[in-house]
Structures are given as C-alpha cells and as structure tokens.
Amino acid sequence: MAQKKRIVVKGGTVVNPGAVAPADVAIVDGLVVEVGQGLDGDDVLDATGCHVSSGFVDLHTHLREPGKEEAETIETGSRAAALGGYTAVVAMPNTDPAQDSVMVVEFVREQGRRAGLVDVHPAGCITVGRAGTALAPYASLAAAGVRIFTDDGNGVQDPLLMRRALEYARDLGVTLAQHCEVSRLTEGAVMHEGSCCSAMGVPGWPALAEELMLHRDIELVRLTGAPMHFLHLSTAGSVELVRRAKADGLPVTAEVTPHHLALDHELLAGWDPVFKVNPPLRTRGDIEALKQGVADGTIDAVATDHAPHAAHAKELPLDQAPPGMLGLETALGVLVTAVAPAPERLCELMSWNPARIAGIDDRHGRPVAPGEPANIAVWDTSEVWTVSRHALASRSTNTPYHGMELRGRNRHTIHDGRVVVRDRKALA
Amino acid sequence: MKHLITTAGLDAAEIGNLLDVADHMAEINSRPVPKVPALRGRTVASVFFEDSTRTRLSFETAAKRLSADTMTFSASTSSLNKGESLRDTIETLSAMGVDAFVVRHKSSGVPEAVTQWTDAVVINAGDGWHQHPTQALLDAFTVTRSFGDGNTMQGRHIAIVGDIKHSRVARSCMDVFVKLGARVTAVAPSTLLPAGGLPGGVAVAHGIDDVVGECDVLYMLRMQRERMDSALVPELGEYSARFGLDPARAARLPAHSLVMHPGPMNRGVEMLVDPSHLPGSRILAQVANGVSVRMAVLFSLLGGAAAGLERGDS
C-alpha cells in the first residue's frame, strides 16, 4: 500500500491561544501529526515570514447559489474564500429559493462538498422565506446540521415573532443572528444619513435604525436567555450597546466587516455603486469606535459580508443599485492594513471566535497541534499587494478596493489535509 | 469646465462669466430673428428619463437658437427595465454622434454616471433631489438683472420656502446664491429639511411670516401632495397656513421684493395669490431667462465661436 503523503509547512510562526512560536507543521491524512523544529515531508510549503494558524472562518458569506449564479456560485465563492485563507464559510440564506428547508440546505452543503475547497455551512432562515411572518422549522434544520439562523438582508421587524424565535431556538441549542435594521426608518435609503447624503440628495440610513433593533434584541436576550449574534454592526452606538450587554453577562456576540473598519461614507460622493452596502459605510467616528470595539473584545469576529453582484446588476443609478461588496479575498489585508491586530487577536477575530459562534468548533478554529483536523491558513502580514478587480476568483468584480494597496495576504490554505491554495494560487 | 453636473464645481467668477454670456444671449433673443449660427453642425441630445416638458423645451429652444441640431430621447424608466440599460442607451446615442447630452433622471447621480460612458459634454437638467444647476443659474441671472446688481447678490436676503429636503432646485440655488454673496434662509418645517443639515451659510426659519416682511427675494418651491402620505406634513391646509403666500403676506413684502417660483406652481397650496397681481413676480421672467442661460451654458461648454454670435443665420 502506498505510503500516505506527508505535507510540511516549513519555516513559519505557529499561532495558538497563548502561544506564538516558530515551528514546522506536519500533516498526514487530514490531520496535524507533528508540530516542531526541522520537520520534512513529501510536499513542503514554504512559510518563511508567515504565520501558521487554524484556517479562517467567515460568519457571513453570500454565495448566491441557488438563484443568482450569474453573480457567484458555490464553487467560485469557495475558491475566493480559500484564497482569502478561509477553510469554512457560513452561507447566508438569502438564496432563491431561500435556505429555509432541509432540501435547500442540503443542496448548498453538497455543492460545497463538490467544490471541495472550504467547508460550506448553510445558515437557516429565522422566518419562512425571510418574510418575517412565520418561524422556519429550526428543529428539522438543526437535525440537518444547521447551527445558525438569520434572515440576513432583512431584520426581523415583529418583536413578538422575535421573542418566540429566541424562545424556540433556545431549546434546540442553536444561535439566531440578527441583521439589525428597523425597515421603516430606512425606506429607500441609499447611504449613511449625514452631511454627505444631504448634500447629494439621496435618502439616508440613520444609525438609529440599527441601534433601535439591537437594543430591542439585547433586551429579548435578557428576557429569554437565548444566545444571539449580531451581524455587521456599523455604528459607534451599536458598539456601546454590545459592550454594556456583555458587561451584564448576556450571551451576545457581534461581528464587524472589514469595510466598516476601513471605508467611510464620503466615498459615495463619487456616485460609484461599488461603495453602496447595507448597512452603509459610516463616519470616521463610527470607524474609530468599531476599531476600539475590535481592540477591547466587544467585537468578537470580523466577517466579510461578501456580496457579489453581476456588473450589469450593480451598474445602475445609486438609488437602484443593489447593496453589497466583495470581501473574501481582501478581508485579511483590509484588517491588517486598517487595524493591524496582534497575531493571536487576529486569529480570535478571523478563526477561533467565528468557529465557536457558527457552532463548527469541532473542526475549525482548533489549535495547530497533533491530532487536530488540518484546516490551516498560512499568511503574511508584511506582504504589500495591490488589489485588482480583474484578478479575483469571485465571478463578480464589485470590490471597493480596486487599485488600493493592502498590507497582509494569505499565502497557502490547507483544507481537510489537502493543499487548496499554494503560493496565492487556488487549485483549478 | 467640461460638463455641468452640479453647481458645486463653479466658483463665483465662473458663475459671473456664464451670466455675462447669458446677457449676450438675451440680446440675441430680443432680435427680430433670434437665431445665430454659433453651434451649427453640433448635435444636442435631450435624454429625459423623467418627464419634464418645460425644461426639455427650454433646452431645445436654446439649442435651436444657436443653430445646433437637436434630438430627443424620452423614456420612462420602466422601458429601461425591459432590457436596455442606461449605459446602453447613452452609448447607443453617443455612437450616432452627439456633442452634448442634456440629461434628466429621477435618480440622483445619473448625469455624473453618464460622463463615464460618453466623450460628449453632459449637462444636468435635474437629477433626483440632487441638483438642477441651470435652474440656479437662471435664477441668479433673474435676481441680479432685476436689481441691476451686476454679478453679485451681496447684501440681498433670499428666502427659499418649501420642501427643501426633496428639492434639487433648492440644493443648486442655495449653493449659487451663497457663493454670490446672498444671505439665504431655508423656510420649512424640519420634516422637509435635509436630515444631515444645510450647507454652510444657510439659516433656517420655520414659518413664512418670519421672512416675508424683510426679504429681497421670496423664492417659493412646489409642494407635492404625496409628501402628506409619508407623514412629512399633516395636511396641505396646515402647510398653506404656515408656508403659503397669501394676499395678506404678499402685502407685507417690501416694495422692491421679487417673488419667484421654479414651476410648475401649485395654486392653492404654496401660491394662494395670483402671481400676475404681484408687481414683484418674476415667474415668467425666469422662464424667458431660462432660454438665455441655457444658450450660455451650451455655447460655453461646446466651445462655440464668438463670431457665430454676431449675425443672424442667412
């Protein structure tokens, strides 16, 4: 019988909780078998100058399949994720049909397996069809492996329904994730409500619309005891609300996107729909508050909200263009460039915490240690590169970072013991 | 200045230059044959995605008096939804040979986007709530020429009354009037003011009575009935009571004051008095000046030869 191939990641710095140290990592048959000095193998990946950690986990990916394959497929999105250093993504349920049934959820998971580049974990819907009127069948979906539920793109407006959802979810040990937006306050909204939107003459998206629902849901968590995750928080007020909820010991977690840490609303002044996103880009003051939240632990995770749109769909007047921007291939670079967290903190934000929030910490966000699943990212925080929308793996090109210089890039990705990205190139 | 998308890119001197050219155009318009060959052989396309017969006719009249060829593309945005994108429309017309696009769209920002898809000059004829630059220029022309103030509004108090929030006219006018030195007051309930604040130098009042006794120009905006549906004002009667120009208020206007309106007027809502009975009304003068100012804009942007202004077409 042929001997099993031994992969060695050589010359890097291994990042584990409480331990950041130079070491080589040997992998055989899907598992880490050895971490130490001077290791050799059949396939050696150079990690000189790089950090070696558990693969990143994206809590917030729109893969668009089924329904909008012209913008992205599970395969192209998986490739973009692998290039970004991700070994698992949570696929948002605003597909067509929506991920509110076992059939659709299993289709998405199976397409992820076929692509074989990252683990694709479908999120379920909080309400049937994301319509906000009736609870989705959480127990059936949980039995099919779904651990996190959201109506992302829509906030659940009805407070009674949200209360019932939390009570019902609590019994099943699953987590609900809210897109916080009181929709009556954002009708027709194009961008952050502030001086810029008033001068441009477009309807604004006030910070209050996010904070009001966040506040309501924090109080519902206090009432029900059910855990809750808050998606893509964007305002200084939101950071403060989560900070207080955590100080009260409530089981809440929160994510921010790279773009809300790096880009502000004044970019919309050029009318380019690539900068239109929901929630919208905010003010410099909001960005500073989000960075503070990332630094002090109020924010648990950085999640991309990777939202591909076909060029013709995005090339509309600003008020008609759909919101959303690409993020998977640039998240690490934007985070390092904008915030420059220490390696351990970076792993908490990109891998360890999101794996736990997604309920997939049995296989992801694990220590790099013998016996652990080999889901690993090798990344360089000193590499400077220029983003080109023409050089991305995503089927769409709506990156807001085109032409921008970033510091920090993923170099190799190992998924389930297999090298899926080698020297910034994905497997065909 | 390659395009005219917003007044923001114009300084007081550039505005003054355009107004000077407009004087020349007004003189042409007063001739027995108001037509000159300045833009002969040039093509001006009016691309109106939102209906506006008045503005379109004003631009087309301006283009024709300069001897440009004109073409008109009128479309409701719904026809674009049948397949052809905005970009395809512009590129298609461009390929026919267009020197200037005059663009009107219900979405803010469209004229700016159009500049990416054509080498032709783009003139904004009104986009969403954003800008209507030629309206502000013709209003500045009307005010300065009425007072004989040259190209300045220094020392004049202009009150703009009505739905500032949803008004592209107000955004352009506030900018131009402030740049020319006027003191500007926006008169509206807070629900009809932009949530993110007004431009620097613009004061606020919450009732027409606060300004009517001392303004040099009372600039009335059209109040749209649909604003009530979004709970921005409780009812039109209450709006008229606080912000309408009625005979009693008209009588309080200083004798030299001008009354202006960009049209179309909403009689019985913001205009509770017949403007033809107001000696200070400049509402029809605005329309006439609109042709002269749009001629000035077309002539300046298309680089027409000055000699072409001197004699009538043979």
Side-chain angles (χ1 to χ4, degrees):
Chain A
M1 197 171 87
Q3 206 181 351
K4 286 193 168 131
K5 193 164 85 170
R6 179 176 155 104
I7 301 164
V8 168
V9 179
K10 198 166 177 65
T13 300
V14 172
V15 186
N16 277 323
V20 180
D24 303 337
V25 179
I27 294 153
V28 176
D29 199 19
L31 295 178
V32 174
V33 293
E34 211 179 338
V35 177
Q37 305 300 325
L39 305 186
D40 265 309
D42 312 305
D43 184 6
V44 176
L45 295 175
D46 178 26
T48 309
C50 295
H51 290 94
V52 181
S53 72
S54 56
F56 302 145
V57 174
D58 190 21
L59 283 168
H60 201 139
T61 310
H62 296 276
L63 292 173
R64 302 298 189 218
E65 182 181 352
K68 277 249 169 62
E69 290 83 353
E70 58 169 6
E72 195 80 287
T73 65
I74 289 171
E75 186 189 344
T76 59
S78 292
R79 187 165 295 118
L83 283 164
Y86 293 93
T87 53
V89 300
V90 175
M92 289 291 109
N94 60 336
T95 47
D96 184 13
Q99 291 167 193
D100 60 3
S101 70
V102 171
M103 192 179 73
V104 176
V105 155
E106 290 193 333
F107 167 79
V108 169
R109 199 193 307 278
E110 186 51 35
Q111 288 293 83
R113 269 197 212 105
R114 271 186 211 142
L117 295 160
V118 296
D119 285 357
V120 174
H121 291 278
C125 298
I126 294 176
T127 66
V128 174
R130 301 171 50 252
T133 49
L135 295 188
Y138 304 159
S140 316
L141 291 163
V146 178
R147 289 288 168 269
I148 192 161
F149 294 80
T150 178
D151 279 359
D152 181 50
N154 298 334
V156 177
Q157 304 298 317
D158 180 346
L160 176 63
L161 188 73
M162 198 61 225
R163 175 183 177 173
R164 298 293 180 244
L166 285 163
E167 289 168 340
Y168 194 76
R170 184 186 54 200
D171 304 341
L172 300 168
V174 297
T175 297
L176 303 187
Q178 186 73 284
H179 166 119
C180 293
E181 177 180 356
V182 174
S183 59
R184 268 296 267 164
L185 290 170
T186 62
E187 282 170 14
V190 168
M191 61 183 289
H192 173 67
E193 181 177 291
S195 54
C196 206
C197 104
S198 289
M200 290 168 69
V202 293
W205 202 124
L208 176 69
E210 175 172 302
E211 293 155 6
L212 209 52
M213 185 171 287
L214 176 60
H215 181 70
R216 179 200 75 179
D217 285 359
I218 286 169
E219 293 311 311
L220 286 172
V221 168
R222 200 189 305 276
L223 180 75
T224 62
M228 205 165 176
H229 177 66
F230 297 108
L231 302 167
H232 49 45
L233 295 183
S234 66
T235 76
S238 292
V239 175
E240 190 49 36
L241 284 166
V242 172
R243 189 175 284 131
R244 272 188 262 146
K246 287 189 165 184
D248 290 350
L250 298 178
V252 297
T253 54
E255 69 183 37
V256 296
T257 68
H259 48 268
H260 288 114
L261 293 169
L263 307 176
D264 75 57
H265 67 131
E266 293 182 10
L267 288 164
L268 273 300
W271 299 97
D272 187 344
V274 82
F275 296 111
K276 182 178 174 184
V277 66
N278 192 20
L281 302 179
R282 302 282 186 191
T283 65
R284 296 311 306 182
D286 292 308
I287 290 173
E288 289 313 309
L290 294 177
K291 285 184 179 175
Q292 184 55 42
V294 164
D296 69 18
T298 302
I299 302 299
D300 299 276
V302 169
T304 66
D305 198 1
H306 179 82
H309 290 289
H312 68 85
K314 193 75 168 161
E315 199 167 69
L316 289 173
L318 195 59
D319 59 352
Q320 294 165 35
M325 43 179 68
L326 301 184
L328 287 167
E329 295 174 70
T330 49
L332 175 71
V334 174
L335 178 61
V336 171
T337 306
V339 183
E344 259 189 278
R345 181 67 187 137
L346 188 149
C347 289
E348 282 176 358
L349 293 163
M350 295 283 282
S351 177
W352 307 337
N353 290 345
R356 198 166 54 245
I357 293 164
I360 56 171
D361 49 343
D362 54 334
R363 294 197 50 79
H364 294 274
R366 308 289 306 171
V368 180
E372 295 288 354
N375 290 311
I376 286 177
V378 180
W379 35 280
D380 183 347
T381 53
S382 61
E383 181 177 340
V384 174
W385 59 296
T386 302
V387 181
S388 167
R389 62 173 168 248
H390 309 299
L392 298 174
S394 175
R395 184 166 274 193
S396 295
T397 56
N398 56 309
T399 175
Y401 308 107
H402 177 67
M404 205 179 284
E405 198 170 78
L406 298 179
R407 176 179 292 273
R409 191 176 190 183
N410 184 66
R411 185 170 171 191
H412 313 297
T413 309
I414 297 168
H415 170 244
D416 204 15
R418 203 164 69 105
V419 181
V420 293
V421 171
R422 180 189 299 268
D423 282 319
R424 307 166 200 88
K425 299 244 176 342
L427 283 186
Chain B
M1 181 170 76
K2 156 107 200 211
H3 307 289
L4 182 60
I5 306 299
T6 151
T7 57
L10 300 174
D11 62 23
E14 289 168 307
I15 294 167
N17 288 341
L18 282 168
L19 301 188
D20 289 341
V21 177
D23 279 329
H24 203 130
M25 300 301 172
E27 183 274 315
I28 289 167
N29 286 331
S30 70
R31 295 177 191 172
V33 180
K35 189 170 174 110
V36 292
L39 295 180
R40 194 155 57 186
R42 305 299 195 89
T43 301
V44 176
S46 316
V47 183
F48 275 55
F49 298 98
E50 179 185 71
D51 289 338
S52 171
T53 311
R54 306 161 58 114
T55 304
R56 184 170 57 75
L57 290 179
S58 178
F59 268 107
E60 288 177 1
T61 303
K64 285 176 171 148
R65 291 195 177 161
L66 294 170
S67 301
D69 295 318
T70 57
M71 58 163 104
T72 305
F73 177 92
S74 286
S76 62
T77 37
S78 65
S79 76
L80 289 182
N81 292 339
K82 286 175 192 162
E84 187 169 67
S85 72
L86 188 60
R87 178 183 186 155
D88 289 336
T89 302
I90 296 300
E91 288 180 346
T92 301
L93 295 175
S94 236
M96 294 175 192
V98 167
D99 297 289
F101 282 104
V102 176
V103 180
R104 160 74 65 106
H105 200 287
K106 70 176 170 53
S107 294
S108 300
V110 165
E112 176 73 36
V114 167
T115 63
Q116 305 165 56
W117 304 324
T118 178
D119 294 328
V121 164
V122 179
I123 298 166
N124 183 359
D127 61 329
W129 309 343
H130 176 223
Q131 282 273 318
H132 194 355
T134 57
Q135 178 73 44
L137 293 171
L138 75 88
D139 290 332
F141 186 81
T142 303
V143 172
T144 54
R145 274 40 178 179
S146 296
F147 288 132
D149 283 347
N151 287 336
T152 180
M153 291 181 165
Q154 209 73 45
R156 299 294 178 185
H157 179 206
I158 304 185
I160 303 177
V161 184
D163 184 359
I164 310 277
K165 178 187 173 106
H166 303 97
S167 173
R168 54 186 166 228
V169 172
R171 279 186 180 74
S172 291
C173 283
M174 289 189 290
D175 182 55
V176 167
F177 296 171
V178 167
K179 277 176 183 159
L180 294 184
R183 185 157 70 84
V184 178
T185 302
V187 186
S190 288
T191 48
L192 295 178
L193 290 170
L198 290 162
V202 177
V204 172
H206 298 301
I208 194 171
D209 288 323
D210 296 348
V211 295
V212 79
E214 54 99 18
C215 61
D216 299 295
V217 179
L218 189 65
Y219 193 108
M220 305 297 290
L221 295 172
R222 175 179 171 78
M223 178 61 190
Q224 293 183 325
R225 286 160 198 277
E226 51 265 36
R227 299 301 172 220
M228 282 183 305
D229 302 338
S230 2
L232 291 162
V233 289
E235 54 169 14
L236 287 182
E238 180 159 313
Y239 177 83
S240 298
R242 290 178 70 195
F243 300 98
L245 180 60
D246 61 15
R249 284 166 175 153
R252 289 177 52 209
L253 281 168
H256 71 280
S257 295
L258 310 180
V259 174
M260 295 169 64
H261 194 298
M265 272 183 291
N266 230 332
R267 288 180 191 256
V269 182
E270 74 270 8
M271 291 300 279
L272 300 141
V273 56
D274 187 337
S276 65
H277 298 157
L278 296 174
S281 171
R282 287 292 180 278
I283 294 171
L284 290 176
Q286 288 173 274
V287 177
N289 290 338
V291 174
S292 302
V293 165
R294 287 171 179 129
M295 286 168 74
V297 167
L298 285 167
F299 180 78
S300 301
L301 288 180
L302 285 171
L309 297 177
E310 297 311 322
R311 56 185 171 77
D313 206 1
S314 52

